[in-house]
Amino acid sequence: TDTTTWVGEMAEVRLTHGALEPSEFLCAAVPQTRNPPPAEADGTKAFWYLDNAEGTAVLDNATPIAQGHLPGNKRITAIKTPVVDERTAVAASLRMLNAEPLTLTELIAQGTADAEMLGFLCDCLCYGVSFVVAGPTSSGKTTLLNSLVGAIPPGRRIFSIESGARELHFCHVGEADPDGPKDHLKVQTLSRPSEKAELDVSQEALGVAALRFSPELIAIGEMRDTEAATAVEASLTGHTVVSTIHAGSAENCHLRMALLCQKRFPIEFSASMMQTVLAFPVVVNAARMPDHSRKIVACVTPEGKICYRPLYQWEGGAFVRKNAPGEKLTDLMIRHGLDMKGGSAWLGSRSSS
């Protein structure tokens, strides 16, 4: 019953039951909002409806796994018997996303990163250096990207690409208040999956369309398929691209991106790997710590034969600057307008390294 209450109230899910067996008590107390579903063609009945922002998904013996996005930026995944043991019957996982982005000051206050590291990443966004935030699920990758958006100067053209739910928060021109986010010229897009190939709008297709909008920043919520090839191509052709990916380290990040690119362009793998390294010369590693806090545990840049040079690192209970950015990164920023006398803390650390 406690689990039922959590699913019904916290997830704001409306699960409607059909013909329930005695063992399927887990969500039986959720208020019924729909008449029991009609019998399937084989005579069985759908056990649950999952109403979500994308429509209604049926959770039954034929489709025992259902996923969706709920109002208020919530993700839900539900699974039931026969793939779940009969005692549990139905299990649901809910992910609550931040309704509002955290400020950089708040990130620093909660120990996610220090000011110098965040200043460096802000300058990367503003001055032409593409980077990717890598980490496991719920490690704070998207939270970090949202916080860095506030560093983008007003009037920049931003094109965002996401799948399922809108998690990246940007501000239209005229919407910002004096103390709020910067004004941006933005186009925010969501992919639209379809069983009909001619109606499917993938993140890859949106990435191709983004290049025709002359964006100054392309933000991809997460690279999980062939959109990685489009992201690499966009960065290599001079666009600033920022994204996230599920990977446990910088090397694994570039390896996984190369594997995703291979799905679109099956060229020599070493060539795919080199392209991803050149396209994303900075990798930020986010992690969820044992105390459930989120931290940037490393910020690295590849060099040589894909060795990784640490720039910043969480070490001994503190954020430590390990090395200054190399000349290639700094020169790239200068070509995009970075003022070397602008006062950024990492520039001072560069001259002292």
Side-chain angles (χ1 to χ4, degrees):
T1 304
D2 291 340
T3 305
T4 298
T5 302
W6 180 80
V7 173
E9 295 182 0
M10 292 297 293
E12 298 176 5
V13 181
R14 300 186 297 280
L15 290 171
T16 311
H17 56 78
L20 293 178
E21 298 295 334
S23 62
E24 297 186 270
F25 62 89
L26 186 65
C27 295
V30 177
Q32 184 169 334
T33 60
R34 184 191 295 267
N35 292 327
E40 300 288 341
D42 60 0
T44 62
K45 287 189 175 181
F47 287 105
W48 308 95
Y49 281 120
L50 172 59
D51 292 340
N52 62 77
E54 300 167 346
T56 299
V58 175
L59 186 67
D60 60 9
N61 287 346
T63 53
I65 302 176
Q67 301 180 67
H69 293 82
L70 304 169
N73 264 8
K74 302 178 184 70
R75 292 181 188 169
I76 186 167
T77 300
I79 55 178
K80 70 169 293 294
T81 52
V83 295
V84 176
D85 65 281
E86 292 187 359
R87 183 174 180 179
T88 301
V90 177
S93 171
L94 173 72
R95 182 174 179 190
M96 312 285 287
L97 306 173
N98 288 324
E100 296 294 336
L102 299 176
T103 65
L104 296 181
T105 302
E106 289 172 328
L107 281 186
I108 295 169
Q110 67 184 24
T112 299
D114 67 1
E116 182 180 320
M117 187 193 309
L118 292 176
F120 169 71
L121 293 176
C122 287
D123 282 347
C124 285
L125 275 183
C126 294
Y127 300 111
V129 176
S130 298
F131 67 85
V132 61
V133 183
T137 301
S138 192
S139 57
K141 301 184 295 295
T142 305
T143 298
L144 174 62
L145 289 191
N146 273 322
S147 300
L148 292 172
V149 166
I152 300 175
R156 294 290 181 95
R157 295 187 300 276
I158 304 172
F159 195 108
S160 71
I161 302 168
E162 298 180 82
S163 175
R166 200 179 304 286
E167 299 180 41
L168 298 175
H169 300 274
F170 301 104
C171 186
H172 276 298
V173 172
E175 289 180 346
D177 59 71
D179 300 319
K182 302 291 191 301
D183 290 335
H184 298 126
L185 300 171
K186 65 171 184 178
V187 176
Q188 288 185 275
T189 64
L190 284 174
S191 62
R192 188 188 67 184
S194 175
E195 294 180 356
K196 297 182 178 180
E198 65 273 16
L199 299 179
D200 183 75
V201 181
S202 66
Q203 287 197 113
E204 180 185 12
L206 291 171
V208 172
L211 300 179
R212 301 188 180 108
F213 282 76
S214 300
E216 292 166 280
L217 174 66
I218 299 174
I220 303 175
E222 179 186 341
M223 289 184 286
R224 61 183 71 171
D225 206 338
T226 52
E227 64 273 358
T230 304
V232 168
E233 182 179 0
S235 181
L236 290 177
T237 54
H239 300 83
T240 305
V241 182
V242 64
S243 186
T244 71
I245 194 169
H246 284 95
S249 67
E251 184 176 13
N252 289 344
C253 166
H254 283 129
L255 279 171
R256 183 155 187 255
M257 287 177 61
L259 287 170
L260 293 176
C261 290
Q262 287 276 304
K263 296 173 70 175
R264 173 56 63 200
F265 302 111
I267 60 176
E268 184 72 28
F269 186 78
S270 60
S272 288
M273 186 69 175
M274 185 57 65
Q275 285 181 339
T276 63
V277 168
L278 292 173
F280 292 91
V282 172
V283 177
V284 181
N285 283 119
R288 183 177 181 178
M289 310 305 284
D291 62 358
H292 302 295
S293 64
R294 277 73 169 173
K295 293 189 184 299
I296 298 176
V297 294
C299 179
V300 303
T301 184
E303 60 181 19
K305 292 185 178 180
I306 315 184
C307 296
Y308 290 87
R309 184 172 183 243
L311 304 178
Y312 298 94
Q313 195 162 304
W314 173 254
E315 188 176 277
F319 295 105
V320 179
R321 173 176 51 82
K322 304 295 289 186
N323 293 285
E327 289 187 5
K328 288 185 178 180
L329 284 181
T330 306
D331 290 345
L332 179 59
M333 292 188 192
I334 292 173
R335 291 200 302 271
H336 283 80
L338 174 68
D339 182 2
M340 292 296 290
K341 300 179 181 180
S344 296
W346 69 270
L347 289 172
S349 69
R350 177 177 181 271
S351 61
S352 63
S353 295

